[in-house]
């Protein structure tokens, strides 16, 4: 009962200390334990001092009681000896039963008649834990044989294929949320407002010097028309941003400065310029790009006038 009372006192003082520190230190909006984490250290030290005081008080009380009452000391010593003798008694007895062996004093009951130059042999039983484990392996073997040899459940090849299929499914699910794993083969056009906003920020920080804010083009080409030097579409634009433009006169490769997810965002933002009207559009460069994956019925023939005034027919997406 004294131990329970000590625990209750420690708990009570801890709660009171918590409330007191929170009352004098909190601003009223959040707890002081969130505003000032060092308060946890102060409260912890107070609790440790209180616990140490309880332990010292109990020890001192026991010493004084035994010193002033010899009979109590004898009774206390007997109690300690009894507790020590019975400490872990259940564990020791259980361990002894698991070994299944006889005590040294009882070994004469299991000595065999064999005598080899004065050496005798004990007829100890196998440890019960070993015997039960052996029986368990037999039962497992029977169940395994019936399941896989009699009823022809899945074999190792089938199990391997199932595990590989499941692993691939999990990888694909993971890739859907792991944007930084995107590459030129897996990139798709992003349409979420958050992605386009992020792409706009990247574009404004890195691209406006050459392409202008509205994509009309300056040093770099016009991004609002249908003409592309290295191909249009999300995959081509992603690859151009990542690997850079034409050798010697194109833009630098941004793959060392931007993450794949960021390249996908800015590429999607660049494609959002299509069909807009910039303030000072630069003349068209490159060729009209045709999406090879687009259905044939969505294509039409558009006449394009080249520098030598020769008209050619170009198939384009509508």
């Amino acid at each position: 009962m004294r131990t329970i009372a000590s625990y209750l006192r420690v708990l009570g003082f801890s709660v009171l200390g918590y409330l007191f520190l929170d009352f004098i230190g909190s601003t009223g909006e959040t707890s002081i334990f969130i505003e000032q984490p060092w308060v946890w250290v102060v409260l912890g030290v107070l609790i440790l001092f209180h616990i140490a005081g309880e332990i010292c008080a109990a020890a001192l009380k026991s010493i004084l009681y035994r010193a002033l009452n010899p009979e109590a000391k004898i009774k206390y010593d007997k109690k300690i000896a009894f507790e020590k003798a019975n400490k872990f008694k259940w564990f020791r007895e259980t361990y002894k039963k698991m070994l299944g062996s006889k005590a040294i004093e009882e070994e004469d009951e299991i000595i065999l008649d064999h005598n080899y130059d004065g050496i005798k042999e004990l007829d100890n039983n196998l440890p019960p834990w070993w015997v039960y484990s052996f029986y368990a392996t037999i039962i497992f073997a029977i169940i395994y044989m019936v399941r896989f040899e009699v009823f022809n459940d899945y074999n190792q090849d089938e199990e391997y294929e199932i595990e590989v299929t499941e692993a691939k499914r999990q990888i694909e699910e993971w890739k859907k949320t792991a944007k930084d794993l995107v590459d030129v083969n897996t990139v798709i056009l992003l349409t979420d407002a958050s992605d386009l906003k992020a792409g706009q920020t990247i574009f404004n920080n890195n691209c406006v010097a050459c392409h202008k804010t509205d994509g009309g083009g300056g040093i770099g080409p016009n991004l609002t028309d249908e003409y592309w030097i290295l191909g249009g579409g999300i995959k081509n634009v992603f690859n151009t941003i990542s690997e850079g433009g034409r050798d010697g006169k194109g833009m630098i490769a941004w793959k060392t400065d931007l993450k794949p997810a960021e390249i996908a965002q800015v590429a999607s933002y660049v494609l959002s310029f299509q069909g807009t009207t910039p303030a000072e559009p630069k003349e068209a460069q490159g060729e009209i790009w045709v999406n090879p994956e687009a259905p044939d019925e969505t294509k039409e023939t558009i006449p394009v006038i080249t520098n030598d005034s020769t008209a050619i027919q170009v198939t384009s997406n509508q």
Side-chain angles (χ1 to χ4, degrees), residues 93-106:
E93 291 180 350
T94 303
Y95 178 72
K96 184 177 179 181
K97 290 179 181 179
M98 290 181 64
L99 292 179
S101 59
K102 292 280 188 178
I104 296 178
E105 296 81 6
E106 301 174 353

Side-chain angles (χ1 to χ4, degrees), residues 242-279:
S242 175
E243 304 301 326
R246 294 166 295 174
D247 293 338
K249 53 183 177 180
M251 73 174 182
I252 64 171
W254 288 96
K255 61 184 177 182
T256 57
D257 299 288
L258 300 176
K259 297 179 180 178
E262 294 174 331
I263 297 177
Q265 290 171 335
V266 71
S268 298
Y269 178 72
V270 165
L271 289 174
S272 70
F273 285 126
Q274 290 288 286
T276 62
T277 304

Side-chain angles (χ1 to χ4, degrees), residues 63-111:
I63 293 172
L64 291 175
Y65 181 75
R66 285 183 285 134
L68 298 176
N69 191 342
E71 293 182 359
K73 181 179 183 304
I74 296 174
K75 184 177 180 181
Y76 178 81
D77 292 340
K78 289 182 178 179
K79 179 183 177 182
I80 294 299
F82 177 79
E83 291 178 353
K84 185 176 181 180
N86 289 275
K87 189 176 183 180
F88 303 120
K89 181 179 180 181
W90 176 86
F91 177 78
R92 290 198 302 269
E93 291 180 350
T94 303
Y95 178 72
K96 184 177 179 181
K97 290 179 181 179
M98 290 181 64
L99 292 179
S101 59
K102 292 280 188 178
I104 296 178
E105 296 81 6
E106 301 174 353
E107 284 186 349
D108 58 330
E109 301 176 5
I110 56 174
I111 294 179

Side-chain angles (χ1 to χ4, degrees), residues 40-52:
W40 284 108
V41 179
V42 176
L43 183 60
V45 171
L46 292 175
I47 294 174
L48 289 177
F49 271 116
H50 188 69
I51 293 174

